[in-house]
C-alpha cells in the first residue's frame, strides 16, 4: 500500500508557473480527493504523479523510489489513469476496449491469452457491466463511457488509480454510481486519487483531502478538518456554509 511524496515540486507550462515549491503527501491504501476550483492545478498534479509531466524542480517519490526511476512500462502496470474524456475513434466492443488495459503485460507481437480474458470478465462482473460486453463504445452514453474508462484502468490491475474529475458532466444517477465505485475501491487496499471541484463529493467518499488554491496546497488532511468555511470561501470566492445533519456534514451552495 504505497503512497506518494511530492517534495518541493515546481512546474510551468510554456513559462507559465503552475506550481512553485509545492510539497504534499498521499497516503497509500486510502481514497484521496484533490479538491479545488477549475484551474487550481488538480489535473496537472495528477499528470505529474502519472509521469506524463516531469517536474522542473523537486521530486516525487512512490514506494520509496523516485518516480523518475520508473520506466513507462513499469509505471503502466502500477498506475491506472482515467482521464475526463477519451473518445475512441474505432468502434471497439466494450470487451475489446477493456482488453487494451492488458497491453502493459504483453510483448510487441503477443496476443492476449485466456488469463487476460478472465481478468476482463472479472472486471465486467465486478462493475456489473457484463451485459455491456458486446456493446460498441462509440454508441454509449457519457456515464457508460466513464464506467468503461474506469473498467479499462482496473483491467491493468494497478495498485494506484488516478481519476480526473470522474463525475464531471454526468447526471445524478451516474454520479452516484461512480462515487459508489470509488467508495468500494477502498476495500481493495489500493491507493485512489480523484480530482473534483465539488466539496460534497470529497466529503462523501474521501479519507484524505488535499485542497488546492491557485497552484498552492491550502490544506490537507481529514475532510472534517480541511473543509472549513474559511478555507472553502478562500478557494471558491463564495459565501459557502457547512451544514450538519446528525453525524454528517455537507456544503451548502445556496444564498
Amino acid at each position: 500500500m504505497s503512497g506518494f511524496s511530492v517534495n518541493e515540486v515546481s512546474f510551468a507550462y510554456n513559462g507559465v508557473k503552475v506550481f512553485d515549491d509545492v510539497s504534499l503527501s498521499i497516503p497509500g491504501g486510502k481514497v484521496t480527493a484533490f479538491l479545488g476550483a477549475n484551474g487550481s492545478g488538480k489535473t496537472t498534479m495528477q499528470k505529474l504523479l502519472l509521469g506524463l509531466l516531469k517536474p522542473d524542480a523537486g521530486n516525487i517519490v512512490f514506494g520509496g523510489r523516485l518516480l523518475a526511476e520508473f520506466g513507462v512500462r513499469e509505471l503502466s502496470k502500477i498506475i491506472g489513469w482515467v482521464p475526463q474524456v477519451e473518445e475512441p475513434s474505432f468502434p471497439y466492443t466494450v470487451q475489446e476496449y477493456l482488453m487494451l488495459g492488458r497491453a502493459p503485460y504483453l510483448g510487441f507481437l503477443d496476443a492476449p491469452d485466456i488469463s487476460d480474458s478472465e481478468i476482463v470478465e472479472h472486471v465486467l462482473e465486478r462493475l456489473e457491466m457484463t451485459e455491456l460486453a458486446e456493446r460498441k463504445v462509440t454508441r454509449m452514453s457519457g456515464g457508460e463511457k466513464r464506467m468503461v474508462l474506469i473498467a479499462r484502468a482496473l483491467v491493468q490491475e494497478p495498485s494506484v488509480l488516478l481519476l480526473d474529475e470522474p463525475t464531471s458532466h454526468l447526471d445524478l444517477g451516474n454520479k452516484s454510481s461512480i462515487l459508489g465505485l470509488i467508495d468500494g475501491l477502498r476495500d481493495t487496499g489500493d491507493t485512489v486519487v480523484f480530482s473534483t471541484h465539488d466539496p460534497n463529493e470529497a466529503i462523501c467518499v474521501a479519507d484524505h483531502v488535499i485542497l488546492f488554491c491557485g497552484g498552492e496546497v491550502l490544506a490537507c488532511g481529514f475532510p472534517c478538518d480541511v473543509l472549513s468555511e474559511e478555507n472553502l470561501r478562500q478557494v471558491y470566492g463564495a459565501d459557502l456554509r457547512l451544514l450538519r445533519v446528525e453525524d454528517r456534514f455537507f456544503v451548502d451552495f445556496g444564498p
Side-chain angles (χ1 to χ4, degrees):
M1 295 191 299
S2 298
F4 292 90
S5 178
V6 175
N7 306 302
E8 300 177 346
V9 162
S10 297
F11 179 80
Y13 283 113
N14 299 319
V16 179
K17 187 76 72 174
V18 180
F19 294 117
D20 187 13
D21 199 29
V22 165
S23 297
L24 57 89
S25 294
I26 297 170
K30 303 291 184 182
V31 176
T32 294
F34 283 179
L35 180 64
N38 292 332
S40 60
K42 304 185 299 297
T43 298
T44 299
M45 182 57 70
Q46 285 194 320
K47 290 183 177 180
L48 287 164
L49 297 178
L50 188 63
L52 286 177
L53 301 176
K54 308 297 182 185
D56 297 325
N59 61 67
I60 300 173
V61 175
F62 175 75
R65 287 176 59 189
L66 288 171
L67 196 68
E69 296 177 353
F70 289 81
V72 173
R73 191 177 182 87
E74 186 180 10
L75 272 181
S76 65
K77 294 179 181 179
I78 297 169
I79 303 176
W81 167 241
V82 181
Q84 284 190 49
V85 178
E86 182 175 291
E87 290 294 340
S89 56
F90 189 81
Y92 294 103
T93 66
V94 169
Q95 193 164 32
E96 291 169 339
Y97 195 63
L98 265 56
M99 192 63 74
L100 298 177
R102 299 303 298 163
Y105 300 91
L106 302 175
F108 180 66
L109 297 176
D110 290 343
D113 60 21
I114 189 170
S115 64
D116 298 306
S117 297
E118 288 174 347
I119 290 168
V120 169
E121 290 175 8
H122 172 71
V123 170
L124 286 170
E125 292 173 0
R126 177 181 174 187
L127 302 187
E128 299 181 351
M129 294 172 58
T130 303
E131 73 281 0
L132 299 178
E134 299 304 320
R135 286 270 303 276
K136 302 292 187 182
V137 291
T138 50
R139 298 181 179 179
M140 304 186 84
S141 69
E144 289 170 334
K145 287 179 180 177
R146 200 70 54 86
M147 290 294 289
V148 169
L149 286 174
I150 294 173
R152 188 187 63 180
L154 292 177
V155 165
Q156 292 175 231
E157 299 186 300
S159 58
V160 178
L161 189 63
L162 303 179
L163 305 101
D164 188 17
E165 299 206 12
T167 65
S168 62
H169 309 300
L170 298 184
D171 60 36
L172 287 176
N174 283 310
K175 282 187 178 185
S176 178
S177 296
I178 298 292
L179 291 174
L181 172 59
I182 293 172
D183 188 52
L185 289 172
R186 66 163 42 85
D187 297 331
T188 66
D190 294 333
T191 301
V192 180
V193 181
F194 76 101
S195 62
T196 180
H197 58 264
D198 187 344
N200 286 319
E201 291 186 0
I203 292 168
C204 182
V205 297
D207 304 302
H208 183 251
V209 175
I210 298 176
L211 192 58
F212 288 89
C213 184
E216 297 181 353
V217 174
L218 180 63
C220 58
F222 294 116
C224 58
D225 297 327
V226 171
L227 302 180
S228 67
E229 291 183 348
E230 179 182 354
N231 284 345
L232 292 172
R233 287 169 184 156
Q234 184 171 342
V235 168
Y236 296 102
D239 189 17
L240 307 179
R241 296 179 299 161
L242 287 178
L243 301 180
R244 296 186 181 272
V245 178
E246 297 180 349
D247 61 342
R248 304 192 67 176
F249 70 100
F250 65 94
V251 178
D252 178 25
F253 292 88

